[in-house]
Amino acid sequence: MNDFAWYTGYSPMEMEEVLKVNYMALTGADYFSMADTSMENAAGFITSILNYGFDNEIPWRLKNMDAIPDGYPLMMQCLKHRICVICGKHADIDHSPSVGMGNNRDHIDNRKYKFMALCREHHTLRHNKGLPWFMEFYHIKPVRLDEDTIVSLHLNSRKQLREYDEGSDTGAETD
């Protein structure tokens, strides 16, 4: 809340009210206090706050992105907004397993991969140390994406996915 207030110029109390009104408009929820609301409503409100922050490019003043609660699908938001899941810097989308040298990233079936958003520094570290070390050290796992997300991230087009389904065997097997 303080990050939002700092960025927008609202006080933290004003920012909380703005975000509550946004949440109530999105969900139809009645006005509530965090002190006595249900766990379900509180979790929904926190998720809406984080979505608002990512959607409106509010800069996080956290030292580590892992300060965001674990229950939130952080990896998906980082992929969507191309923000490093480790440090919050601008990121590229990293394939797991790696797309090796000589493979054309524009002609692989991305349904066969898992992904994470990593800045150049963390991407290089991931390749230098290896995926098992990287996952254990940072306590993260790449995620598999559904077809809609693959298309929305421009990793494959619907036409490409149909072509792969019709018989092309391009890409890597991951499980």
Side-chain angles (χ1 to χ4, degrees):
M1 201 66 66
N2 289 330
D3 287 350
F4 289 34
W6 171 82
Y7 184 73
T8 63
Y10 287 110
S11 72
M13 285 179 52
E14 292 169 325
M15 194 71 237
E16 182 177 355
E17 292 304 309
V18 167
L19 293 169
K20 278 184 183 178
V21 168
N22 182 56
Y23 174 70
M24 291 183 302
L26 289 171
T27 64
D30 292 330
Y31 187 82
F32 61 95
S33 165
M34 288 297 283
D36 62 6
T37 194
S38 69
M39 289 297 286
E40 182 181 337
N41 199 49
F45 179 53
I46 291 168
T47 299
S48 76
I49 291 171
L50 294 169
N51 285 338
Y52 183 90
F54 278 106
D55 290 343
N56 292 286
E57 299 181 4
I58 305 281
W60 305 104
R61 297 187 322 164
L62 305 168
K63 291 189 178 186
N64 291 308
M65 292 295 284
D66 63 358
I68 293 174
D70 290 338
Y72 184 71
L74 176 63
M75 188 68 75
M76 294 301 293
Q77 287 293 329
C78 288
L79 284 163
K80 177 181 173 186
H81 296 281
R82 297 214 173 26
I83 296 171
C84 181
V85 70
I86 308 298
C87 68
K89 294 179 186 173
H90 174 75
D92 294 322
I93 296 177
D94 181 49
H95 288 79
S96 177
S98 299
V99 176
M101 295 287 290
N103 286 322
N104 185 338
R105 292 172 193 278
D106 296 329
H107 298 289
I108 59 172
D109 185 348
N110 284 289
R111 295 174 294 190
K112 297 179 181 180
Y113 290 85
K114 293 181 182 176
F115 300 90
M116 57 187 154
L118 298 174
C119 68
R120 180 57 32 206
E121 178 182 336
H122 287 109
H123 191 159
T124 300
L125 182 64
R126 174 259 201 262
H127 285 287
N128 289 342
K129 294 284 191 175
L131 185 61
W133 178 91
F134 191 83
M135 288 176 13
E136 183 176 333
F137 187 80
Y138 286 108
H139 306 287
I140 59 171
K141 292 181 181 178
V143 295
R144 189 168 307 280
L145 303 176
D146 63 27
E147 288 186 10
D148 290 338
T149 305
I150 288 169
V151 171
S152 73
L153 293 173
H154 306 290
L155 298 171
N156 285 121
S157 67
R158 293 245 183 246
K159 179 182 176 196
Q160 284 177 312
L161 295 175
R162 278 191 307 273
E163 289 171 357
Y164 296 135
D165 289 341
E166 292 169 0
S168 174
D169 191 27
T170 305
E173 293 295 329
T174 58
D175 282 320

